[in-house]
């Protein structure tokens, strides 16, 4: 489970899969969490630039899966 917090607004998102997508035609970068758009960046050339811009505005907390939760 990933908890993603917007550093400026404090808005929190939770999910599993983080995806980065850059449209080569429009140069718009988008970040999706479990298929939901959570961030857009203009004038993005590649995934590295998008990831850098994303990490400037968001912090990611990765929570280890509780291995004992399946024993109930």
């Amino acid at each position: 489970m990933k908890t993603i917090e917007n550093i400026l607004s404090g808005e929190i998102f939770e999910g599993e899969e983080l995806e980065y997508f850059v449209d080569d035609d429009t140069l718009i970068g988008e970040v999706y969490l479990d298929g939901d758009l959570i961030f857009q960046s203009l004038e993005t050339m590649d995934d590295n630039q998008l990831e850098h811009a994303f990490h400037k505005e968001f912090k990611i907390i990765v929570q280890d899966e509780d291995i004992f939760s399946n024993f109930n």
Side-chain angles (χ1 to χ4, degrees):
M1 172 72 76
K2 292 181 176 94
T3 301
I4 300 173
E5 180 180 355
N6 184 305
I7 295 168
L8 297 176
S9 71
E11 187 174 10
I12 302 246
F13 303 94
E14 291 185 330
E16 296 291 332
E17 187 177 354
L18 201 57
E19 297 176 87
Y20 299 90
F21 174 77
V22 177
D23 186 321
D24 295 331
D25 295 329
T26 62
L27 299 180
I28 295 175
E30 299 174 329
V31 179
Y32 294 87
L33 180 64
D34 292 341
D36 296 322
L37 179 65
I38 60 170
F39 177 74
Q40 278 189 318
S41 178
L42 303 177
E43 300 181 16
T44 303
M45 301 301 239
D46 58 32
D47 286 349
N48 291 335
Q49 187 179 14
L50 174 59
E51 193 169 343
H52 179 72
F54 177 73
H55 285 283
K56 285 175 64 175
E57 294 192 31
F58 289 84
K59 72 177 174 182
I60 301 173
I61 302 163
V62 178
Q63 300 169 349
D64 293 330
E65 185 177 331
D66 182 5
I67 62 169
F68 296 109
S69 63
N70 294 329
F71 289 112
N72 294 332

